[in-house]
Amino acid sequence: MSSEQLRDEEEALRKQIRELTSEQRKEYYRLEGQKIKDPDTYAVLNWFIMAGLHHFYLGNTQRGVINLCVMLVGLVFLPFLPIVGVIILVGIVIVELPQLFKSQQIVHAYNNNVMRELIHKVKSDNA
C-alpha cells in the first residue's frame, strides 16, 4: 500500500473508533497503548539488518529466527570460507535493505492491522 492509502485506511479506522461507545473506546485505547508499534524503533532495529531484530519487534518471530540463524551461519563461515560467509551476509543485506527504506509504511500497515483487530475485539467483547 502507498503512504496515502495507509493514511486513508487509518482515518477510516479512526472514524470507527469515534463511533464506539465510551466504554468501548476506553478499552480500545487501553489495548492500543500495549500493541501499537513505533516506526522509529523499527527503523533503529532495522539498522542491525543482518540480525533481523526488526522482525521480532513486529512479532514475526519465525522470520526473525531465520534471519538470525542465517546471519550466524554467515559469520561462522567468514573465517574459514570467507567468500561463502560474505555471500551469505550480502544476501541478507539485499533481502532486508528494502525494509529499511519502507520502515514507515511497514509499521503503519502493522498498526492499521492492530487497530482493525482491536476495534473488532472491543465490539465483540461488549456485544
Side-chain angles (χ1 to χ4, degrees):
M1 286 185 135
S2 71
S3 294
E4 186 176 328
Q5 290 171 317
L6 289 168
R7 281 191 300 273
D8 291 345
E9 180 184 41
E10 180 183 2
E11 185 53 41
L13 291 166
R14 296 262 176 230
K15 183 177 184 238
Q16 290 178 37
I17 294 165
R18 288 189 298 269
E19 293 170 354
L20 295 172
T21 66
S22 61
E23 274 304 308
Q24 288 173 327
R25 272 194 314 274
K26 182 179 177 182
E27 178 64 8
Y28 170 84
Y29 286 120
R30 184 186 70 75
L31 294 170
E32 182 190 69
Q34 299 169 357
K35 300 211 181 242
I36 292 292
K37 301 298 182 182
D38 177 42
D40 295 331
T41 302
Y42 179 86
V44 168
L45 292 173
N46 202 341
W47 279 103
F48 302 103
I49 290 170
M50 294 183 289
L53 301 177
H54 52 291
H55 296 300
F56 291 106
Y57 182 63
L58 293 186
N60 194 347
T61 307
Q62 182 178 2
R63 186 158 179 195
V65 167
I66 290 169
N67 203 309
L68 191 58
C69 289
V70 171
M71 182 201 69
L72 292 174
V73 167
L75 291 175
V76 167
F77 274 104
L78 213 49
F80 306 108
L81 295 168
I83 295 280
V84 174
V86 168
I87 289 171
I88 291 171
L89 296 176
V90 167
I92 292 172
V93 170
I94 290 170
V95 169
E96 297 296 330
L97 193 60
Q99 293 186 32
L100 179 60
F101 297 114
K102 296 190 309 185
S103 61
Q104 294 288 326
Q105 288 176 303
I106 291 169
V107 176
H108 199 163
Y110 173 88
N111 286 341
N112 283 356
N113 190 46
V114 166
M115 291 169 68
R116 191 177 309 102
E117 290 173 2
L118 292 178
I119 290 168
H120 177 71
K121 179 179 177 18
V122 298
K123 280 183 175 179
S124 64
D125 286 352
N126 293 323

